[in-house]
Amino acid sequence: MDKTTLHILNILKSKENYISGEDISSKLDISRTGVWKHINKLKKLGYSIKSVSRKGYSLESITELPLPHEIRTNNKHVNWKIIFRDSLNSTNQTASELAIDDAETGTVIVADSQTCGRGRMQRKWDSPPGKNLYFSIILRPPITPLRTPQIAIITAVSLQKTLKRLFPDLDSKIKWPNDILVDGKKLAGILCEMKSESDCIHHVILGIGLNINTEKNDFPEEIADSATSILIETKKKTARAKLLSEILNDFEQTYNKWLKDNDLGSIKDEWEKESCLIGKKIKIKYFNKIITGTPLGITFSGELLLKKEDNTIQKIVSGDVHVIR
């Protein structure tokens, strides 16, 4: 959005009632026709603006798009830079390309839709427009590559914290290593990818997909019984820009604390409190083997502690987890 259009938007936001095109043109030193053109740009972005003869313009409601100027971040420890696109192949792919071109920590790529959105194990992530949040964050943490899997853990804890605060009736839980579930159905997925050498990280791409305003009949048939959304669970629509603001602010706080702690620290306790796995019998596809047992928690470095059927405890670094019902 250009500066003049944004300026007009801010003028409309500051007025409870109508403001005339003449007043706007006078403030910005542009013609009334120019004002009208910028108003139409805002309408195309989804802003509802009422025009009344001899009264002027009134902002009725803001856009549903998660546009950069609608996202409010704290910027205390991370200098967030939001980049929005209507449609992308994958936000992680675009973020990776920008990271290679030296994009800074805190660069966030947000898309209204993805044509090839993906999760772990190269699974497809359904990404229709106008519904949900699909975004990727570029990070350059001063850590060793071995600590990178912990980022998925802290992200899940941070995201769960946001959801519990904003939607107290939403019974969401964390599934190791990277999902948020409601009653066993996937609400959000987290994907961490990195470029590194043996002793240092060049960058980490943290991708998040969160189902927000998808209705049950909108999901593809193959995931209709295994996916859910905030709308389905709460019966209420959610403003995506406001939710993304809250997610980034909570993540910034959690991420900074994790960097200072040098391990999962108190985050470990938060994860275990919000886990949907502890105490349940599970099976894990792990290095072409299937292991069964009961999770006891996680280590300070993020491995899953699995009590096997012979009562031995094994640390699981990665795997595909399924609850045995």
Side-chain angles (χ1 to χ4, degrees):
M1 182 182 294
D2 62 71
K3 290 183 179 179
T4 302
T5 306
L6 181 58
H7 200 160
I8 290 175
L9 175 61
N10 289 332
I11 290 173
L12 292 173
K13 285 183 175 181
S14 70
K15 299 293 181 180
E16 293 185 5
N17 297 310
Y18 290 87
I19 181 170
S20 70
E22 185 176 353
D23 285 346
I24 297 174
S25 66
S26 178
K27 284 177 181 287
L28 301 183
D29 193 26
I30 61 175
S31 68
R32 291 176 64 180
T33 300
V35 171
W36 177 81
K37 288 180 179 179
H38 287 287
I39 292 290
N40 279 340
K41 286 182 182 180
L42 290 171
K43 288 181 177 179
K44 288 179 180 178
L45 287 172
Y47 291 91
S48 177
I49 301 172
K50 194 172 183 179
S51 305
V52 176
S53 179
R54 297 184 182 180
K55 282 188 174 183
Y57 303 103
S58 173
L59 180 64
E60 302 291 298
S61 63
I62 66 170
T63 180
E64 291 292 326
L65 293 172
L67 299 176
H69 53 270
E70 295 294 350
I71 298 167
R72 303 285 184 261
T73 52
N74 291 332
N75 294 304
K76 290 182 179 179
H77 309 291
V78 178
N79 183 26
W80 297 109
K81 178 185 178 183
I82 316 296
I83 299 173
F84 173 82
R85 296 290 182 267
D86 286 323
S87 180
L88 288 173
N89 184 321
S90 158
T91 60
N92 260 38
Q93 178 181 319
T94 300
S96 180
E97 293 167 357
L98 291 175
I100 291 171
D101 288 337
D102 296 326
E104 296 179 357
T105 284
T107 301
V108 184
I109 312 302
V110 189
D112 187 42
S113 66
Q114 298 179 110
T115 56
C116 294
R118 54 190 171 84
R120 286 178 73 243
M121 314 285 185
Q122 297 299 315
R123 295 187 179 108
K124 180 182 178 182
W125 188 270
D126 187 52
S127 309
K131 301 286 185 180
N132 309 312
L133 279 175
Y134 324 108
F135 63 99
S136 297
I137 304 171
I138 297 173
L139 300 170
R140 299 185 187 275
I143 61 173
T144 63
L146 287 175
R147 287 190 64 197
T148 302
Q150 296 176 29
I151 295 177
I153 301 287
I154 68 165
T155 303
V157 169
S158 173
L159 182 55
Q160 173 73 345
K161 185 184 300 183
T162 306
L163 294 172
K164 298 300 283 187
R165 184 178 69 252
L166 298 183
F167 311 99
D169 295 330
L170 184 67
D171 189 23
S172 56
K173 291 291 182 180
I174 299 171
K175 178 188 173 188
W176 185 89
N178 71 328
D179 292 332
I180 303 290
L181 307 182
V182 177
D183 193 25
K185 297 182 178 182
K186 189 173 293 190
L187 181 73
I190 299 161
L191 177 64
C192 269
E193 299 176 314
M194 72 172 174
K195 183 178 180 182
S196 68
E197 297 179 30
S198 59
D199 60 345
C200 70
I201 290 175
H202 295 297
H203 64 255
V204 173
I205 306 300
L206 171 61
I208 298 175
L210 175 60
N211 296 327
I212 301 175
N213 294 321
T214 302
E215 297 185 39
K216 185 170 179 60
N217 292 336
D218 291 334
F219 284 117
E221 185 178 350
E222 61 269 21
I223 63 170
D225 293 330
S226 60
T228 190
S229 71
I230 293 173
L231 174 62
I232 292 171
E233 300 298 330
T234 67
K235 314 303 180 189
K236 296 178 182 178
K237 282 200 169 184
T238 299
R240 289 182 288 166
K242 182 179 179 181
L243 180 52
L244 181 53
S245 302
E246 298 289 339
I247 290 170
L248 293 178
N249 288 333
D250 283 338
F251 175 78
E252 177 180 354
Q253 182 179 4
T254 305
Y255 178 70
N256 188 62
K257 187 177 186 305
W258 170 71
L259 288 177
K260 287 183 177 180
D261 289 345
N262 288 319
D263 62 20
L264 291 176
S266 61
I267 294 172
K268 174 182 180 295
D269 293 336
E270 294 182 56
W271 185 94
E272 291 175 347
K273 179 183 175 183
E274 298 296 335
S275 170
C276 69
L277 297 180
I278 293 178
K280 295 183 179 179
K281 190 173 182 179
I282 67 170
K283 63 178 180 180
I284 303 176
K285 292 181 180 178
Y286 179 67
F287 290 121
N288 297 318
K289 295 187 293 185
I290 294 180
I291 303 173
T292 61
T294 304
L296 303 178
I298 56 173
T299 68
F300 283 103
S301 53
E303 297 100 339
L304 187 69
L305 291 171
L306 186 72
K307 183 178 181 181
K308 297 194 293 183
E309 294 177 350
D310 61 2
N311 287 326
T312 60
I313 296 174
Q314 182 172 346
K315 295 178 182 179
I316 307 297
V317 177
S318 64
D320 199 16
V321 178
H322 298 274
V323 174
I324 299 174
R325 300 188 182 277

